[in-house]
């Protein structure tokens, strides 16, 4: 009797000897023949599925067109059922077809026939990742559009005491009927799908407000009855493994969840207020990709400067700006650019926000005494070439960073200052000696994030003199030019903006600036000298992005008026 295995041999995809050890491995590990073939990378899933389809006389699709996807049809079945059987209903040219990963799932076609009230649908083979993606997307859309008021009505009917203490594996897989659990799941799902960086849950006298921070700006998302407050906060505290009985003290925790295959890390902070506990959750997507220097939004001249200063053998390069201005993203882009097998790169951060292959990363832990300074002392004994310090917070850390730079290391770090020139005076105020600072400081990069105009709704207009008067040295270049401003549409949640890009101010430490540091000059003097040396200011870089249609005048002035 001819089997699929023999068909694979006949097509010269595997050998007869392969069948023997693959069957043995499948038997020993309790796996299917397909699983061991794919795990051992003898075939790709597309190759295996194509051979399966030909052997069983089925159609095989490597991808699914948008016309075939029907969210309402998919959501007639439970997500657990679809994922268990690895099947998904689709719209074909002549009716419903069922995409399946396993041809042995033909028996479940009867279930579809009964539920859909028609004839038996046609089967097609699909790769497993395609099926999982379609299911996650469909149920994600369904939860995004779900009616919050329906969930709240369920809560009214069933009470507020149904809180399950089990942690979630995949948020979309959680099928609990408890209304408050469904409500919290829905809010978190919406936040992840909207790309929110923070979720604020704030109790007031008569209501509970939920706000999302999108592209750096807070927006109202939901308003609930105040009596739901305690149950919602308790549910979040259970997920974060916090003490639900302690309501008088602030608490911090973390939630690791998966939303349709996307791993998300939530840092949870609770704070008692006069109207109940306030919760703020910072969302970090673990699968976020590290950008490279060319993707940061640097102009061509600034990009060349960044490439030059990051290839210096030793010294300190600082990135400055307020919290949430993208400093860590820029630093990791720089590290990624210089990362190579001949360099030993070490970082100490609080927290480690990105995973960078080939880089040794240390997480600060105050409870065990692993501070920036303590960790930095250990790092310098690990023979590093490049060191990244998450933040210079005190004189001790600053002194070790400077000593590391003096002894031949390239040191990257961040500071919280308004502009590039202020970083010099900030370090001197910490107690760093000016003669040491002038000898090791190589460049200071100040940055802010401006929101990008939504491409679907941005409006063109001719800039009048009074509109661009605040743009300083760039005002004359922008007057009577065609610029763009925010309008608002469903694509951008009526904000007029979608996404963010950085504006930069790169101050190279020239000989005149070194002399000014030695003389303990103030930041305004250093800033003026830097501009004479050719530095483009934050506002100037932002105005170039306005002229190119990336952002608006109002947005640049919002972030650069220091």
């Amino acid at each position: 009797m001819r089997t699929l295995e023999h068909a694979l041999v006949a097509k010269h995809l595997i050998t007869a000897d392969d069948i023997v050890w693959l069957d043995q491995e499948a038997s020993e590990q309790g796996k299917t023949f397909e699983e061991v073939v794919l795990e051992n990378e003898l075939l790709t899933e597309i190759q295996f599925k194509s051979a399966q389809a030909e052997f069983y006389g089925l159609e095989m699709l490597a991808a699914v067109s948008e016309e075939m996807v029907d969210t309402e049809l998919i959501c007639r079945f439970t997500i657990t059922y679809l994922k268990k059987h690895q099947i998904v209903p689709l719209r074909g040219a002549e009716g419903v077809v069922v995409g399946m990963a396993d041809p042995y799932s033909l028996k479940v076609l009867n279930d579809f026939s009964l539920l859909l009230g028609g004839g038996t649908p046609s089967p097609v083979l699909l790769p497993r990742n395609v099926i999982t993606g379609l299911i996650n997307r469909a149920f994600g859309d369904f939860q995004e559009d779900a009616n919050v008021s329906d969930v709240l009505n369920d809560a009214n009917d069933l009470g507020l005491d149904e809180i399950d203490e089990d942690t979630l594996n995949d948020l979309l897989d959680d099928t609990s009927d408890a209304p408050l659990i469904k409500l919290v799941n829905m809010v978190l799902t919406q936040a992840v799908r909207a790309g929110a960086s923070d979720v604020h849950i704030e109790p007031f006298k008569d209501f509970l407000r939920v706000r999302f921070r999108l592209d750096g700006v807070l927006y109202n998302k939901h308003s609930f009855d105040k009596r739901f407050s305690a149950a919602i906060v308790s549910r979040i505290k259970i997920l974060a493994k916090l003490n639900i009985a302690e309501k008088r003290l602030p608490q911090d925790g973390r939630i690791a969840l998966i939303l349709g295959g996307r791993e998300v890390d939530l840092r949870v902070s609770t704070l008692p207020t006069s109207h109940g506990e306030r919760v703020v959750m910072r969302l970090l997507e673990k699968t976020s990709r590290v950008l490279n220097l060319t993707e940061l939004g640097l102009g061509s001249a600034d990009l060349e400067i960044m490439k030059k200063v990051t290839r210096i053998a030793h010294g300190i390069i600082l990135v400055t700006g307020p919290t949430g201005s993208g400093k860590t993203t820029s630093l990791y882009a720089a590290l990624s650019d210089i990362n190579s097998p001949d360099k030993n790169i070490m970082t100490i951060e609080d927290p480690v926000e990105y995973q960078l292959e080939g880089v040794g990363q240390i997480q600060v832990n105050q409870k065990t005494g692993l501070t920036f300074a303590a960790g930095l002392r250990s790092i310098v004994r690990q023979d590093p070439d490049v060191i990244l310090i998450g933040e210079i917070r005190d004189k001790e850390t600053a002194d070790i960073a400077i000593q590391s730079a003096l002894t031949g290391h390239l040191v990257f770090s961040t500071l919280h200052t308004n502009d590039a020139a202020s970083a010099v005076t900030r370090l001197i105020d910490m107690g760093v000696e000016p003669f040491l600072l002038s000898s090791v400081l190589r460049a200071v990069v100040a940055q802010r994030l401006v929101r990008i105009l939504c491409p679907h709704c941005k409006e063109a207009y001719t800039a009048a003199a009074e509109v661009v008067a605040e743009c300083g040295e760039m005002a004359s270049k922008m007057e009577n030019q065609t610029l763009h401003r925010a309008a608002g549409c469903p694509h951008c949640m009526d904000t007029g903006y979608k996404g963010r890009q950085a504006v930069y101010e790169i101050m190279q430490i020239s000989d005149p600036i070194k002399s000014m540091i030695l003389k303990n000059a103030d930041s305004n003097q250093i800033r003026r000298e830097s501009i004479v040396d050719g530095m483009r200011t934050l506002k100037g870089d932002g105005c170039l992005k306005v002229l190119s249609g990336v952002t608006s005048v109002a947005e640049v002035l919002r972030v650069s008026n220091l």
Side-chain angles (χ1 to χ4, degrees):
M1 180 180 175
R2 193 166 181 264
T3 63
L4 174 62
E5 288 88 342
H6 295 120
L8 293 172
V9 173
K11 294 173 72 69
H12 304 292
L13 294 173
I14 60 175
T15 67
D17 290 338
D18 288 332
I19 292 179
V20 176
W21 69 265
L22 286 170
D23 279 337
Q24 182 178 353
E25 190 169 320
S27 177
E28 290 174 353
Q29 298 182 11
K31 296 180 178 178
T32 65
F33 182 78
E34 178 182 357
E35 286 173 333
V36 294
V37 168
L38 299 182
E39 284 175 4
N40 286 281
E41 298 181 353
L42 296 181
L43 299 174
T44 66
E45 189 175 9
I46 298 296
Q47 289 175 315
F48 194 91
K49 284 284 179 283
S50 298
Q52 266 189 327
E54 184 177 332
F55 181 76
Y56 291 105
L58 299 172
E59 183 184 0
M60 183 270 181
L61 298 176
V64 173
S65 65
E66 285 295 321
E67 294 76 21
M68 296 181 70
V69 180
D70 185 335
T71 298
E72 184 180 341
L73 175 64
I74 296 172
C75 291
R76 289 189 194 180
F77 301 83
T78 67
I79 188 171
T80 306
Y81 176 84
L82 295 177
K83 284 191 171 182
K84 176 184 176 182
H85 295 288
Q86 278 292 286
I87 51 176
V88 61
L90 302 166
R91 293 288 181 192
E94 300 179 0
V96 177
V97 297
V98 177
M100 53 180 58
D102 188 347
Y104 301 109
S105 297
L106 290 171
K107 58 185 178 182
V108 304
L109 292 180
N110 292 330
D111 297 343
F112 278 75
S113 179
L114 290 171
L115 186 71
L116 300 173
T120 303
S122 304
V124 295
L125 285 186
L126 294 176
R128 292 179 185 276
N129 65 322
V130 172
I131 291 174
T132 301
L134 289 170
I135 296 169
N136 287 336
R137 174 181 153 192
F139 279 85
D141 289 340
F142 177 74
Q143 290 211 13
E144 175 71 18
D145 298 331
N147 192 335
V148 173
S149 62
D150 289 344
V151 178
L152 294 178
N153 287 335
D154 289 343
N156 286 328
D157 295 339
L158 299 178
L160 305 180
D161 57 351
E162 302 181 51
I163 296 176
D164 181 8
E165 299 196 14
D166 293 335
T167 55
L168 299 181
N169 292 319
D170 189 321
L171 204 62
L172 294 182
D173 286 343
D174 188 53
T175 56
S176 172
D177 290 328
L180 263 300
I181 292 177
K182 289 169 66 177
L183 183 64
V184 171
N185 289 357
M186 191 182 302
V187 169
L188 295 180
T189 299
Q190 291 173 343
V192 173
R193 289 179 59 79
S197 61
D198 300 86
V199 176
H200 291 236
I201 299 175
E202 305 159 317
F204 295 96
K205 182 179 179 182
D206 300 316
F207 65 96
L208 180 72
R209 182 173 69 183
V210 177
R211 294 192 291 174
F212 291 174
R213 188 177 292 279
L214 303 170
D215 296 328
V217 179
L218 281 169
Y219 296 95
N220 288 337
K221 183 65 177 177
H222 298 295
S223 182
F224 302 138
D225 193 295
K226 177 63 164 40
R227 60 202 174 85
F228 295 113
S229 176
I232 290 173
V233 172
S234 293
R235 174 60 181 165
I236 293 169
K237 289 170 79 172
I238 286 169
L239 291 175
K241 297 181 173 60
L242 301 178
N243 182 359
I244 62 171
E246 180 54 77
K247 300 181 180 181
R248 301 166 299 172
L249 296 174
Q251 295 186 66
D252 295 298
R254 305 182 81 155
I255 302 173
L257 59 85
I258 303 170
L259 177 71
R262 295 163 63 181
E263 293 185 38
V264 182
D265 195 28
L266 276 71
R267 280 185 249 141
V268 180
S269 171
T270 69
L271 185 70
T273 69
S274 57
H275 296 295
E277 287 184 281
R278 190 179 193 275
V279 179
V280 174
M281 293 178 280
R282 166 65 58 89
L283 279 68
L284 296 171
E285 195 158 345
K286 293 182 180 179
T287 52
S288 294
R289 182 175 61 88
V290 176
L291 301 180
N292 57 51
L293 285 177
T294 58
E295 297 174 294
L296 292 179
L298 289 159
S300 56
D302 285 344
L303 180 61
E304 288 305 311
I305 294 171
M306 281 289 283
K307 284 182 174 290
K308 183 178 77 173
V309 298
T310 56
R311 281 165 173 75
I312 293 170
H314 54 84
I316 293 180
I317 298 169
L318 295 174
V319 180
T320 76
T323 301
S325 60
K327 300 187 295 296
T328 303
T329 300
S330 294
L331 283 174
Y332 265 87
L335 286 187
S336 180
D337 191 59
I338 63 174
N339 189 13
S340 62
D342 63 333
K343 285 189 174 69
N344 181 21
I345 302 176
M346 302 286 293
T347 78
I348 180 161
E349 306 164 72
D350 184 22
V352 174
E353 293 190 23
Y354 297 97
Q355 298 295 329
L356 193 57
E357 189 174 347
V359 173
Q361 297 171 273
I362 300 170
Q363 167 82 49
V364 166
N365 189 334
Q366 300 288 348
K367 293 179 180 177
T368 62
L370 182 55
T371 61
F372 278 112
L376 199 48
R377 287 194 202 93
S378 298
I379 283 177
V380 295
R381 294 194 287 270
Q382 291 280 314
D383 185 32
D385 298 296
V386 180
I387 301 170
L388 184 149
I389 308 167
E391 183 185 346
I392 294 178
R393 296 178 178 175
D394 51 41
K395 183 179 185 298
E396 187 180 10
T397 305
D399 285 342
I400 300 171
I402 286 173
Q403 291 302 320
S404 300
L406 286 170
T407 53
H409 304 94
L410 179 59
V411 179
F412 292 90
S413 192
T414 70
L415 272 178
H416 290 291
T417 62
N418 283 334
D419 60 8
S422 300
V424 173
T425 52
R426 175 82 178 92
L427 286 171
I428 292 174
D429 286 344
M430 278 186 186
V432 175
E433 293 291 344
F435 76 92
L436 289 175
L437 186 59
S438 66
S439 64
V440 298
L441 191 60
R442 299 289 180 262
V444 183
V445 181
Q447 70 177 78
R448 297 289 189 281
L449 293 176
V450 293
R451 291 179 292 169
I452 299 171
L453 288 166
C454 174
H456 297 94
C457 65
K458 65 181 181 181
E459 294 178 346
Y461 71 104
T462 302
E466 58 271 17
V467 175
V468 297
E470 294 185 64
C471 293
E473 71 273 13
M474 294 293 292
S476 59
K477 296 180 181 180
M478 298 173 68
E479 190 173 344
N480 298 319
Q481 295 293 316
T482 299
L483 307 181
H484 293 83
R485 59 191 171 199
C489 69
H491 293 280
C492 58
M493 292 180 63
D494 293 318
T495 64
Y497 299 93
K498 190 71 174 176
R500 288 188 291 177
Q501 194 174 94
V503 292
Y504 289 93
E505 177 178 284
I506 304 178
M507 182 179 79
Q508 298 183 83
I509 308 302
S510 61
D511 288 337
I513 293 178
K514 286 183 180 180
S515 298
M516 296 178 78
I517 294 172
L518 284 170
K519 295 174 182 176
N520 219 346
D522 67 35
S523 60
N524 290 326
Q525 293 173 300
I526 295 173
R527 180 180 176 82
R528 284 194 291 269
E529 179 60 39
S530 299
I531 292 172
V532 170
D533 288 346
M535 181 185 79
R536 183 184 295 129
T537 64
L538 286 168
K539 187 178 289 185
D541 191 34
C543 288
L544 288 180
K545 289 179 169 61
V546 172
L547 287 170
S548 63
V550 172
T551 189
S552 65
V553 172
E555 183 66 7
V556 169
L557 295 178
R558 181 181 73 87
V559 303
S560 65
N561 276 343
L562 308 177

